[in-house]
């Protein structure tokens, strides 16, 4: 069976050249499925692996728009609709200059299994553009979003594919995208999530990924007989996920000692809390400034062009982007004595670094389980849109907490069922647990629905 998995990986690599991020994501999932394939040989007979590494549809389109100097700009747009066996396609849009088909495919592939773990009926997709929102005026952002939606609208719909935000796509961009969809289609429907609460959005959606990942961390620590209280937490990023991870870690008594953006990292050993947290929200959400300004304002260390992993901490909480913890960073974190890594971002840890953490018996919460709170809350937004109801913040938060608890339990029990535990047998291998449980539900639905 091991050879069969390696053959599928080899074929996938040859068929999709120059897509390293997609190769990495697919390899991580496929290799961890070995115990499930040994137990269920029908998965091989039905060629589920060969089918699941192929997206159902991938759309690439041109986005031409006008900047403030009346110059024509051309970007590339993407929507990769990976798998709709368990529900309509669902997944965010990323606007960042690094966006390529490989990155869209890795994210859509991961999203499929993440959505499956939430227990809500959502298939997997991802989209975006190589457009760089940094330094653009409001008018430029609006015109770009309108042109992007002028093509995207024909591929999505409230029963077909429901995008949301991701890096570079927050409340402002969702507003412009939704407005253009509504204008073109003359329909007010829940075709996007992450909408403003006054026009169909859900309370807690902006907070959901950061809160949810912290709830997942709390569950992982409780398995070790520990809690967040008093723990020093190194967070990377300072965007949507990082901000609300900071808030929830603070609420649960932890101390957030780092933050970063693409220019560098800050180290604040006293913790990003109280007025410093309020400053962070204003800096990033209102003024759209750089994290360096936090260091200047509060007189703490700033490390230019650095990642935040070279500090004393108990927990690493990457919330910026893919591959931001490599084996060198992993060694630093292990030497610092960390007990847990929780992935707020998608695939922030390289395969080698993940292996190092697992070998050391460090509780490792993979993104597809740990950061599923965002899409889960998007699922709750879809439910509210269908019922034309708005649940209160406490009701949504309670549902989010419950969903994260269940995802943790599912990943833990699946890991135990397949004998995938770390060093002393007490700590579950959540990578194996999450991959197998996310995958088997999708695989069963594909088999039940015929050739798909
Ligand atoms: P934001 O755009 O709000 O914030 C991203 C943060 O990461 C910023 O601080 C940004 O810095 C930093 N960053 C981005 N790219 C790089 C890079 N190449 N190197 C260093 N820092 C970088 O995005 P989100 O917070 O929404 O997303 C963060 C991660 O979480 C992503 O991996 C995303 O896929 C994942 N995620 C997000 C969900 C959501 O609901 N938003 C749901 C599940 C996962 P700068 O401003 O300088 O670019």
């Amino acid at each position: 069976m091991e050879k069969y998995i390696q053959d599928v990986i080899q074929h996938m690599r040859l068929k999709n050249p120059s897509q390293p991020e997609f190769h990495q994501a697919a390899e991580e999932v496929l290799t961890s499925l070995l115990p499930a394939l040994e137990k269920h040989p029908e998965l091989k007979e039905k060629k589920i692996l060969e089918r699941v590494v192929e997206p159902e549809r991938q759309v690439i389109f041109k986005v031409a728009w006008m900047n403030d100097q009346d110059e024509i700009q051309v970007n590339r747009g993407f929507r990769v609709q990976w798998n709709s066996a368990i529900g309509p396609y669902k997944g965010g849009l990323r606007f960042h200059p690094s966006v390529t088909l490989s990155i869209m495919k890795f994210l859509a592939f991961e999203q499929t299994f993440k959505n499956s773990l939430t227990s809500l009926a959502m298939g997997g997709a991802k989209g975006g553009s190589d457009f760089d929102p940094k330094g653009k005026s409001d008018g430029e952002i609006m015109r770009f979003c309108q042109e992007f939606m002028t093509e995207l609208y024909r591929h999505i719909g409230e029963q077909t594919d429901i995008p949301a935000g991701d890096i570079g796509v927050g409340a402002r961009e969702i507003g412009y995208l939704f407005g253009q969809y509504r204008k073109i289609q003359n329909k007010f429907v829940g075709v996007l999530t992450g909408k403003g609460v006054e026009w169909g959005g859900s309370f807690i959606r902006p907070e959901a990924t950061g809160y949810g990942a912290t709830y997942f961390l709390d569950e992982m620590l409780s398995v070790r007989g520990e809690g967040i209280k008093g723990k020093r937490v190194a967070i990377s990023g300072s965007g949507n996920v990082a901000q609300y991870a900071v808030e929830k870690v603070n609420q649960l008594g932890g101390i957030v000692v780092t933050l970063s953006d693409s220019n560098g990292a800050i180290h604040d050993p006293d913790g990003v809390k109280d007025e410093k947290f309020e400053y962070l929200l204003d800096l990033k959400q209102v003024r759209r400034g750089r994290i360096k300004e936090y260091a200047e304002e509060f007189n703490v260390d700033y490390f230019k062009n650095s990642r935040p992993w070279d500090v004393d901490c108990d927990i690493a909480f990457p919330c910026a982007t893919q591959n931001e913890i490599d084996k060198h960073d992993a060694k630093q974190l292990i030497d610092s004595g960390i007990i847990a890594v929780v992935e707020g971002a998608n695939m922030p840890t390289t395969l080698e670094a993940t292996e190092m953490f697992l070998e050391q018996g460090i509780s490792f919460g993979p993104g597809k389980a740990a950061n599923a709170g965002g899409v889960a809350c998007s699922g709750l937004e879809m439910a509210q849109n269908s019922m034309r109801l708005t649940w209160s913040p406490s009701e949504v938060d309670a549902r989010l907490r419950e969903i994260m608890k269940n995802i943790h339990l599912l990943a833990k029990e699946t890991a135990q069922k397949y004998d995938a535990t770390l060093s002393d047998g007490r700590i579950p291998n959540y990578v194996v647990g999450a991959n197998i449980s996310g995958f088997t539900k999708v695989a069963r639905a594909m088999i039940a629905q015929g050739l798909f």
Side-chain angles (χ1 to χ4, degrees), residues 7 56 82 93-94 107 109 118 134 150 162 171 207 233 240 257 291 299 304-305 324 346 348 361 366 391 396 442 446:
D7 287 347
E56 286 170 10
W82 204 274
L93 297 172
R94 175 177 292 192
L107 289 164
F109 180 79
T118 64
K134 238 179 259 140
T150 300
I162 306 96
E207 294 87 347
V233 184
N240 172 265
V257 293
I291 202 64
N299 199 22
K304 197 174 167 198
N305 295 330
E324 50 166 324
N346 282 311
W391 294 330
V396 180
V442 173
M446 286 170 73

Side-chain angles (χ1 to χ4, degrees), residues 94 134 166-168 205 209 238-241 262 290 320 345-346:
R94 175 177 292 192
K134 238 179 259 140
D166 190 77
I167 292 179
R205 177 61 190 90
T209 309
S238 47
N240 172 265
V241 179
S262 51
R290 311 306 300 156
N346 282 311

Side-chain angles (χ1 to χ4, degrees), residues 63-67 69-75 136 140:
V63 187
W65 58 282
M66 199 74 94
N67 72 8
Q69 288 72 46
D70 283 344
E71 295 159 346
I72 293 169
Q73 307 291 305
V74 182
N75 284 97
K136 301 287 189 301
E140 289 177 322

Side-chain angles (χ1 to χ4, degrees), residues 94 96 98 107 111 114 126 134 165-169 205-206 208-209 236-243 260-263 284 289-290 318-322 324 344-348 371-372 374-375:
R94 175 177 292 192
H96 194 273
S98 65
L107 289 164
Q111 193 80 43
K114 178 189 308 192
K126 202 81 186 189
K134 238 179 259 140
D166 190 77
I167 292 179
V169 179
R205 177 61 190 90
T209 309
S236 66
S238 47
N240 172 265
V241 179
Q243 290 158 18
S260 67
D261 60 23
S262 51
N263 297 119
K284 287 292 174 180
R290 311 306 300 156
C319 294
T321 192
Q322 62 275 357
E324 50 166 324
N346 282 311
M347 207 171 71
N371 72 36
V375 73

Side-chain angles (χ1 to χ4, degrees), residues 33-249:
L33 296 177
L34 179 63
L37 289 167
E38 280 171 342
K39 208 165 181 165
H40 301 284
E42 71 275 14
L43 294 171
K44 181 181 171 193
E45 281 158 34
K46 301 275 184 191
K47 297 206 171 183
I48 294 297
L49 294 194
E50 290 90 330
R51 289 199 259 161
V52 95
V53 293
E54 198 64 41
E56 286 170 10
R57 192 172 298 105
Q58 34 191 337
V59 186
I60 304 181
F61 53 95
K62 176 174 67 181
V63 187
W65 58 282
M66 199 74 94
N67 72 8
D68 286 345
Q69 288 72 46
D70 283 344
E71 295 159 346
I72 293 169
Q73 307 291 305
V74 182
N75 284 97
R76 188 169 281 182
F78 300 87
R79 188 70 180 165
V80 178
Q81 297 175 330
W82 204 274
N83 192 296
S84 56
I86 62 168
Y89 305 109
K90 179 93 197 87
L93 297 172
R94 175 177 292 192
F95 291 169
H96 194 273
S98 65
V99 163
T100 58
L101 181 59
S102 172
I103 289 186
M104 295 288 97
K105 285 178 69 179
F106 115 65
L107 289 164
F109 180 79
E110 286 278 298
Q111 193 80 43
T112 299
F113 308 113
K114 178 189 308 192
N115 293 1
S116 163
L117 282 171
T118 64
S119 76
L120 304 174
M122 299 182 290
K126 202 81 186 189
S129 172
D130 58 0
F131 170 73
D132 186 359
K134 238 179 259 140
K136 301 287 189 301
S137 70
D138 253 12
E140 289 177 322
I141 298 279
M142 182 182 76
R143 290 195 295 280
F144 176 79
C145 288
Q146 289 173 338
E147 291 303 331
F148 182 84
M149 184 53 87
T150 300
E151 172 60 31
L152 185 70
Y153 88 94
R154 68 190 84 239
H155 308 292
I156 62 175
E158 76 276 22
Q159 308 286 355
T160 320
D161 183 356
I162 306 96
D166 190 77
I167 292 179
V169 179
R172 173 181 58 168
E173 291 74 19
I174 293 291
Y176 295 144
L177 292 163
F178 183 74
Q180 186 71 356
Y181 184 89
R182 197 170 55 73
K183 188 170 174 180
I184 296 171
Q185 295 283 51
N186 196 25
K187 284 200 289 196
F188 192 113
V189 290
V191 69
L192 290 161
T193 57
K195 302 185 290 299
V197 171
E198 288 166 342
W199 39 279
S202 173
F203 284 111
I204 308 290
R205 177 61 190 90
E207 294 87 347
T209 309
Y211 280 15
T214 314
Y215 293 147
F216 193 90
L217 169 66
D218 200 30
E219 296 293 326
M220 288 201 302
L221 292 181
S222 72
V223 171
R224 305 179 76 98
E226 307 249 17
I228 291 178
K229 198 167 177 15
K231 298 287 187 306
R232 290 160 304 161
V233 184
I235 292 185
S236 66
S238 47
N240 172 265
V241 179
Q243 290 158 18
Y244 293 104
V246 172
E247 184 171 48
K248 191 51 77 178
V249 167

